[in-house]
Amino acid sequence: LEDLQLICDTYIEDLIKTEELKPLGEYIQQSDERNTELVIDNLLGISVNKVFIPTKSKKERLNLSNYKVVRERQFGYVSVTSRNGEKISIAILDGEAGLVSSTYTVFEVKDTEELLPEYLYLFFQRTEFDRYARFNSWGSARETFNWDDMCNVKLPIPDIKIQEAIVTIYHTLETRKKINAQLKDSIKPLCPVLMRGVVEEMGLGI
């Protein structure tokens, strides 16, 4: 698993060194869809681990009509970086539509045949991007990495086939992680039985 992660990271780092870097702002646009019809009630937050997570807010106390809608393959991020432990909270949605606070920035890739959202997400996952976002955050009371700052980010955008190859490696990595987690969960209940068998074979008794 570590080898696959290293391949993804190394590939992107090599592209940064060899490809022309382009401003991200040319490839993304904000989305400001609101939940005016109150059709969606799936409240989400964004963790510093760069994933969407269910929030603990009590829905009945909230006016959900002003919440922003985030849809599959769209991004959300929190511009405030000063309280995140040197990380920026940003995630891509993989699943059903959800709602995020109106203070969040929601955006999407303009043309997914030029830039894969999943490839962009891998770029955001890098530790170097966290460092960049923190270094380029501004403010006195609290530091923020605003939309203009995001648009000024420069990144390599290789041929779509290369992007697809990198994303495939990443998906393989994620699939293996899930399989490993499932195996651990299935083995746990068997551990006491296995230990009892070992003890009995050794004639130690319990």
Side-chain angles (χ1 to χ4, degrees):
L1 292 180
E2 291 180 358
D3 289 342
L4 285 175
Q5 184 69 62
L6 182 61
I7 289 172
C8 283
D9 294 344
T10 302
Y11 211 152
I12 292 177
E13 290 303 321
D14 287 344
L15 288 171
I16 291 173
K17 295 174 183 176
T18 58
E19 293 276 333
E20 177 187 358
L21 301 183
K22 301 178 180 179
L24 181 56
E26 295 181 4
Y27 298 87
I28 59 175
Q29 61 190 9
Q30 286 197 60
S31 173
D32 194 24
E33 180 185 357
R34 302 295 173 128
N35 190 39
T36 52
E37 301 297 323
L38 297 175
V39 175
I40 302 170
D41 65 354
N42 178 29
L43 285 180
L44 300 172
I46 303 174
S47 77
V48 292
N49 294 322
K50 295 184 171 59
V51 292
F52 282 101
I53 55 175
T55 69
K56 298 179 181 179
S57 302
K58 295 184 178 180
K59 301 174 187 177
E60 61 274 10
R61 297 182 180 179
L62 301 172
N63 176 14
L64 299 181
S65 64
N66 196 42
Y67 274 61
K68 289 183 179 179
V69 177
V70 57
R71 299 191 179 277
E72 189 166 20
R73 299 186 88 190
Q74 287 186 329
F75 293 84
Y77 87 95
V78 182
S79 61
V80 178
T81 60
S82 52
R83 300 176 183 176
N84 283 358
E86 302 305 314
K87 291 186 177 183
I88 182 171
S89 297
I90 187 168
I92 185 173
L93 187 64
D94 179 17
E96 66 173 311
L99 299 176
V100 294
S101 166
S102 58
T103 62
Y104 287 17
T105 301
V106 177
F107 67 94
E108 62 193 4
V109 172
K110 294 178 183 177
D111 185 352
T112 57
E113 293 186 0
E114 281 191 310
L115 174 61
L116 286 180
E118 294 79 8
Y119 168 79
L120 179 57
Y121 177 61
L122 290 179
F123 180 84
F124 288 148
Q125 279 193 312
R126 298 161 47 254
T127 302
E128 289 75 10
F129 178 74
D130 285 323
R131 292 197 191 103
Y132 174 89
R134 284 291 293 122
F135 184 78
N136 289 279
S137 296
W138 314 99
S140 52
R142 58 179 186 173
E143 296 180 342
T144 61
F145 187 74
N146 63 33
W147 178 246
D148 287 338
D149 298 321
M150 180 66 77
C151 289
N152 288 333
V153 170
K154 291 188 176 181
L155 75 164
I157 301 181
D159 182 85
I160 198 72
K161 295 295 183 183
I162 294 177
Q163 295 181 46
E164 288 172 349
I166 296 172
V167 170
T168 297
I169 294 172
Y170 170 72
H171 282 160
T172 302
L173 172 64
E174 290 301 297
T175 299
R176 289 190 179 183
K177 284 181 179 178
K178 290 177 182 177
I179 292 173
N180 279 0
Q182 290 170 355
L183 284 174
K184 287 179 181 178
D185 289 340
S186 63
I187 288 174
K188 278 181 182 178
L190 297 176
C191 286
V193 177
L194 294 174
M195 286 301 298
R196 188 178 298 113
V198 171
V199 170
E200 289 174 354
E201 283 189 14
M202 294 176 66
L204 299 177
I206 53 175

